[in-house]
Amino acid sequence: MTQDAAIGIHDLSFATTEFVLTHQALAAHDGTDIGKYHVGIGQQSMSVPAADEDIVTMGAAAAAPITARHGTDQIRTVVFATETSIDQSKAAGVYVHSLLGLPSSARVVEIKQACYAGTAALQFALGLVRRDPSQRVLVIASDVSKYDLGSPGEPTQGAAAVAMLIAADPALVRIEDPSGLYTADVMDFWRPNYRDTALVDGHESINAYLQALEGSWKDYIEQGGRALGEFSAFCYHQPFTKMAYKAHRHLLHVCGHDTDAAEITRAIGHTTAYNTVVGNSYTASMYLALASLLDHGEDLTDKAIGFISYGSGSVAEFFAGTVVPGYREHLRTAEHQEAVARRKPVDYARYGELHERSFPADGGDHPVPRETSGPYRLAALSRHKRIYEVR
Ligand code: COA
């Protein structure tokens, strides 16, 4: 484990949507036993974007508290990770750069590889800060998870953005070398350019995730990583929170450890509090798990956390972080809990309208109804251009 130049997560903030659909409402609509949603997949509700919210407005809302606290002077790079991109060419982070008033002397890029992209962004950021520790990198992972209405993926939708400031001498979590890596060409989840909604073979995806976890863990050990027993907690990518339980049981089994249910809950129980009510936020999901752990767990000072990032298709990475003394003074627990609590419940019909909403592709002027009470909104699509505004 390399810990000489401490680089890692200096600040972390997340934002989610204006609306929420409970799984009770979904179950009442589709006639499913609520036990399948609450227990079987481990989901209570899912965030639903208002008409004037998207990956940019959520990303800006997540990042604004970070720039308010730390300023913008040292940020020379913004990396925006998403798999629900709004443009095939322009990086969504450029809109965020503008909304936040970041310095023009910055590079901004967008990164994609399904839900793994947030970790690719983090690793890119760590490399840049290692090269010049005076610089800071703003990483934003933002996604709206969307499957067809009535499809098996529907109960595993959600939306959120996580913003992280990556810096030397971080206040929250030092990220360590090595990483364990794994790539395999599988079609478990994908979204062709002509579709708004993702296609998923859910059961294939569960198997692919477990294979990728095993592969990345084996590589992590071969690269000289920590022994399993050294970790106090594990943050898994959570397409649904039950997946984290399946994955940790698999990891314990692969390592020849007892797969005791109480031990699994101890290791990951605190990581699911936000994902169970927000739903799948794709690239942001694992970092929402970290926020949940830091906000709800016991004192983790100097404890090692295992991170398991999985992106369908598929790429996975296992890496470790160590929690920094004094981290609790820098958390945003009240704001995070408020972001979840402030959402307004919608019924299935309203959610369905929002889900099916799309812009005409005619190049006309299409204003967007004012719905969000968040700090940024998508005001219009005009001559094929997205117009954002600060509320
Ligand atoms: N009470 C309690 N549990 C119940 C239940 C009930 N009444 N009814 C079903 N369940 C359990 C099942 O036993 C199953 O648990 P298990 O996986 O531990 O065996 C779980 O609920 C799900 O049931 P299942 O029949 O497998 O549901 P499904 O065919 O609708 O598929 C997903 C579930 C998660 C695979 C599906 O929602 C999906 O594809 N989601 C997308 C996942 C994704 O995004 N993957 C890509 C990123 S990694």
Side-chain angles (χ1 to χ4, degrees), residues 33 35-36 39-41 147 152-153 156 189 200 202-203 205-206 237 239-240 242 246 280 310 312:
D33 184 323
K36 174 173 173 179
V39 181
I41 60 171
Y147 302 94
T156 59
F189 168 107
V200 61
H203 296 282
S205 192
I206 292 169
H237 168 54
F240 48 97
K242 184 77 173 290
K246 286 178 190 288
N280 194 359
Y310 173 74
S312 293

Side-chain angles (χ1 to χ4, degrees), residues 97-363:
H97 175 276
S98 168
L99 288 169
L100 297 182
L102 293 174
S104 58
S105 52
R107 61 168 79 81
V108 181
V109 291
E110 187 167 305
I111 288 194
K112 175 179 72 182
Q113 179 16 64
C115 305
Y116 168 73
T119 296
L122 170 66
Q123 294 294 345
F124 178 29
L126 293 171
L128 288 170
V129 177
R130 185 156 292 140
R131 196 170 73 175
D132 177 359
S134 72
Q135 295 186 18
R136 292 174 166 184
V137 178
L138 181 61
V139 167
I140 299 170
S142 183
D143 269 305
V144 176
S145 163
K146 227 169 136 179
Y147 302 94
D148 286 343
L149 295 178
S151 71
E154 186 181 18
T156 59
Q157 298 174 118
V162 169
M164 297 183 284
L165 191 64
I166 308 307
D169 194 17
L172 297 180
V173 180
R174 288 192 299 267
I175 303 296
E176 299 175 357
D177 287 334
S179 279
L181 304 173
Y182 181 85
T183 289
D185 182 4
V186 282
M187 291 302 283
D188 58 328
F189 168 107
W190 68 106
R191 184 170 67 86
N193 285 346
Y194 50 81
R195 286 183 63 98
D196 282 341
T197 50
L199 295 163
V200 61
D201 180 342
H203 296 282
E204 168 71 14
S205 192
I206 292 169
N207 289 332
Y209 184 129
L210 297 179
Q211 285 301 312
L213 162 62
E214 198 173 325
S216 60
W217 169 258
K218 283 184 175 158
D219 186 52
Y220 176 71
I221 292 302
E222 279 171 24
Q223 301 298 321
R226 292 173 178 269
L228 194 73
E230 292 180 42
F231 292 99
S232 294
F234 294 82
C235 291
Y236 284 89
H237 168 54
Q238 296 173 18
F240 48 97
T241 63
K242 184 77 173 290
M243 187 65 224
Y245 287 82
K246 286 178 190 288
H248 196 56
R249 190 177 307 113
H250 188 73
L251 182 61
L252 291 174
H253 175 72
V254 164
C255 294
H257 286 229
D258 202 3
T259 55
D260 175 45
E263 169 52 22
I264 296 172
T265 300
R266 189 206 60 72
I268 64 170
H270 288 303
T271 70
T272 61
Y274 294 139
N275 281 302
T276 193
V277 291
V278 165
N280 194 359
S281 55
Y282 291 163
T283 54
S285 157
M286 191 183 75
Y287 299 96
L288 226 59
L290 173 61
S292 176
L293 174 67
L294 297 178
D295 287 349
H296 300 101
E298 68 282 5
D299 184 9
L300 288 160
T301 301
D302 290 327
K303 299 274 172 53
I305 300 172
F307 293 90
I308 303 88
S309 183
Y310 173 74
S312 293
S314 67
V315 176
E317 180 160 345
F318 189 107
F319 62 100
T322 313
V323 181
V324 175
Y327 74 98
R328 280 184 153 157
E329 291 158 37
H330 306 278
L331 297 179
R332 300 175 179 278
T333 310
E335 294 93 321
H336 290 163
Q337 290 172 348
E338 171 62 14
V340 168
R342 67 181 275 280
R343 295 171 302 165
K344 302 181 181 77
V346 287
D347 61 16
Y348 189 90
R350 178 77 179 108
Y351 145 78
E353 278 169 26
L354 287 161
H355 188 283
E356 296 302 285
R357 208 173 183 289
S358 65
F359 283 114
D362 60 4

